[in-house]
Amino acid sequence: LGKFTTDVVGNCTYTNPALRRITGLSIEEAQGFGLRHGIHPDDLRQIIELCDAVVATPCTRTSEHRLLHPNGSIVWVRVNVTALWHNGEAELVVGTMEDITERRLLEHELAEKSLALARSNEDLERFAYVASHDLQEPLRMVNSYGQLLQRRHSGALNDEAKEFLEFIVDGGHRAQ
């Protein structure tokens, strides 16, 4: 778990080795590190609001956002920050940072699979509807002709043939 402290304007005063591993910063680079350092441009506004809130009122804030790693990759992090207060003023910001990249990638993969499954289910429902609709006419024909045979020729059929014809008509009705 990465740990850090900054002054109230966001300049880093301490980073532990875990935070430097997450951010990819050397000890020297970490001295210039701030809460806004290396933030993905799309997430910067969220971090500015988080920093402003923490030094404006006593509170703890959590954010999940992206960092631009020096090696060019994007790292998802979960940051918890709070300010230490003295005489009604924020004096120091303390926080933790956790690399949640793997979790975010798995969530993204799961979301994509869920969308693919939903699309597949829609396709299957359409197919079932079309297949059901297309089978209705042949089923009506089987039922109609089966009933016609029963009415007109049941006297000419032996018991086994009558039973088979009854199975055909009954099965046709159930299928409909």
Side-chain angles (χ1 to χ4, degrees):
L1 189 64
K3 299 176 185 174
F4 62 90
T5 60
T6 70
D7 60 24
V8 292
V9 293
N11 299 314
C12 186
T13 56
Y14 167 78
T15 59
N16 73 348
L19 184 117
R20 292 192 295 272
R21 275 192 303 279
I22 294 168
T23 61
L25 300 174
S26 67
I27 292 175
E28 296 77 26
E29 293 168 323
Q31 294 306 315
F33 175 80
L35 285 180
R36 299 173 188 170
H37 179 84
I39 303 296
H40 190 282
D42 294 343
D43 298 338
L44 189 56
R45 180 159 200 70
Q46 169 189 343
I47 300 309
I48 291 170
E49 290 171 3
L50 174 127
C51 294
D52 291 347
V54 165
V55 296
T57 58
C59 63
T60 298
R61 296 292 170 133
T62 300
S63 172
E64 291 187 2
H65 58 273
R66 294 164 288 182
L67 291 178
L68 301 173
H69 198 276
N71 69 10
S73 66
I74 293 178
V75 178
W76 276 96
V77 294
R78 178 181 173 91
V79 176
N80 294 299
V81 291
T82 192
L84 300 179
W85 292 72
H86 182 71
N87 293 331
E89 289 189 27
E91 289 191 337
L92 184 69
V93 175
V94 296
T96 61
M97 180 182 291
E98 177 184 10
D99 183 343
I100 60 168
T101 305
E102 186 174 336
R103 186 194 86 200
R104 280 298 192 124
L105 292 174
L106 290 172
E107 287 172 353
H108 180 72
E109 183 179 329
L110 182 61
E112 284 182 349
K113 287 183 179 182
S114 292
L115 282 174
L117 183 59
R119 275 187 244 113
S120 178
N121 283 343
E122 288 173 9
D123 292 345
L124 185 57
E125 285 176 17
R126 279 193 294 274
F127 171 77
Y129 174 79
V130 168
S132 171
H133 183 267
D134 288 352
L135 288 174
Q136 291 301 311
E137 183 57 30
L139 283 171
R140 279 193 287 276
M141 296 259 313
V142 167
N143 287 338
S144 295
Y145 282 107
Q147 290 168 347
L148 188 60
L149 278 172
Q150 281 178 325
R151 280 194 308 270
R152 290 187 182 174
H153 303 288
S154 69
L157 300 174
N158 66 25
D159 288 342
E160 186 179 41
K162 287 179 186 178
E163 183 181 16
F164 291 162
L165 191 55
E166 194 174 301
F167 287 152
I168 291 169
V169 172
D170 184 50
H173 282 134
R174 280 190 317 226
Q176 276 185 321

